[in-house]
Each structure stands twice: as structure tokens, then as C-alpha cells.
Amino acid sequence: MTVSTLLKNKEQNLFTITQSHNLQDVCKILAEKRIGVLLVCDKNGIIEGIISERDIVKALGNSGNSVMAETVGQHMTANPVTCSPIETINQIMAKMTTGRFRHIPVVKDNKLIAVISIGDIVKARMEAMEAEARAMQEYIGG
Ligand code: AMP
């Protein structure tokens, strides 16, 4: 299965923020939208970084509540690993495992089109396995 196939069955919600916002802004959006990361983009929509709930926890653990007023630019991961729609789910799983992250932006023709989470991958794999099991049962049952 490819990223493109996975995206056909996924609600297309893309949430971004700029480097000059602060961590309080990030927390508000993550909580409201019930998501784990925001893509950090410039005014032309070009990806500059990614900021995840893990980055917030790390900053809070290291420096306490005062970090909430600090900027996204100070705490994001710059130049995140991305993928293209034609990559396979197995390739994405390998990238996530190697990079130890649970999110990956999807880029097509230099444009950000979606974000895939590890939850999306698990869901797609489960559906594929269930479809295979159904096909096998039908084959055996004649
Ligand atoms: P996550 O597991 O996705 O919540 O992120 C764990 C850490 O990896 C955080 O520091 C993120 O900023 C960073 N991160 C998340 N996604 C990516 C990515 N696609 N490429 C590089 N770093 C990432």
C-alpha cells in the first residue's frame, strides 16, 4: 500500500503554525484539534520544521513553565524528514523507526499536502490484514 492510497481514506486536516508563535499557542491548538504535532511553515507554506507534544514535554521538563512564552522556532525540529505520496507504508514505517518519530509530512511537487501519524499507519495495516483474512476465508469457503 502507498501513502497516496492511505490518504484517500483519511480526513485531510493539515494544521500549521509559524516560528514566531509561542508554545502556549501550540498547546492550545494541539488540545483543540486533538493532534500530536504541528507543521511549522513560512508565509509561503514552505515547511521549516515540526513541533510535537514531545518537544513541549522536553522543554517543560528541562526549564519549567516559563518556556510556554518561548517561540516555536526555539523548540521545533528543523528540516523534518518528509515522504512523497508514491512511497509505500513499509518505507514510512522504516523512516519512523529509524528516526524515532511518529509523524511524517507528505510533500508533493514541493508542496505540503498532509501529515501521516503512526496511528494512521496502524489503522491502514489493520484494515489490510482484515481484508486479506476475509479474502482467504472466502477462498477457503469456496
Ligand atoms: P513525535 O514522535 O512525532 O511526537 O516526535 C518526536 C520528536 O521527533 C520530536 O522532537 C519531533 O519534533 C521530532 N519529529 C517528529 N516528526 C519528525 C519528522 N518527520 N522528522 C524529523 N523529526 C521529527
Side-chain angles (χ1 to χ4, degrees):
M1 184 192 291
T2 63
V3 169
S4 171
T5 311
L6 183 151
L7 290 178
K8 280 186 193 131
N9 302 319
K10 178 177 154 67
E11 208 183 319
Q12 299 296 320
N13 283 330
L14 195 49
F15 300 106
T16 64
I17 197 160
T18 66
Q19 289 203 44
S20 57
H21 281 83
N22 64 31
L23 297 197
Q24 182 65 55
D25 299 324
V26 175
C27 288
K28 193 164 182 292
I29 300 171
L30 294 183
E32 267 176 22
K33 307 297 181 192
R34 305 174 74 177
I35 53 175
V37 295
L38 291 176
L39 266 298
V40 186
C41 294
D42 70 10
K43 58 180 186 324
N44 299 316
I46 304 294
I47 308 176
E48 297 176 314
I50 191 163
I51 188 152
S52 122
E53 55 201 0
R54 288 247 171 113
D55 298 314
I56 311 270
V57 169
K58 188 170 139 205
L60 280 171
N62 287 338
S63 313
N65 290 349
S66 61
V67 293
M68 298 306 270
E70 293 182 3
T71 65
V72 168
Q74 288 173 271
H75 294 280
M76 69 181 196
T77 302
N79 304 316
V81 176
T82 62
C83 69
S84 83
I86 58 168
E87 284 183 73
T88 65
I89 297 306
N90 284 352
Q91 286 173 306
I92 305 311
M93 288 195 289
K95 282 184 174 180
M96 286 183 171
T97 306
T98 308
R100 293 173 162 268
F101 47 72
R102 298 165 297 173
H103 301 87
I104 192 157
V106 186
V107 175
K108 188 180 179 190
D109 302 329
N110 289 325
K111 201 170 166 283
L112 174 65
I113 58 166
V115 176
I116 290 181
S117 75
I118 201 159
D120 297 324
I121 303 273
V122 170
K123 183 168 175 279
R125 291 284 295 155
M126 294 279 292
E127 283 168 3
M129 280 162 59
E130 281 164 14
E132 275 166 32
R134 267 198 309 276
M136 189 65 82
Q137 270 168 2
E138 279 167 20
Y139 175 73
I140 293 166

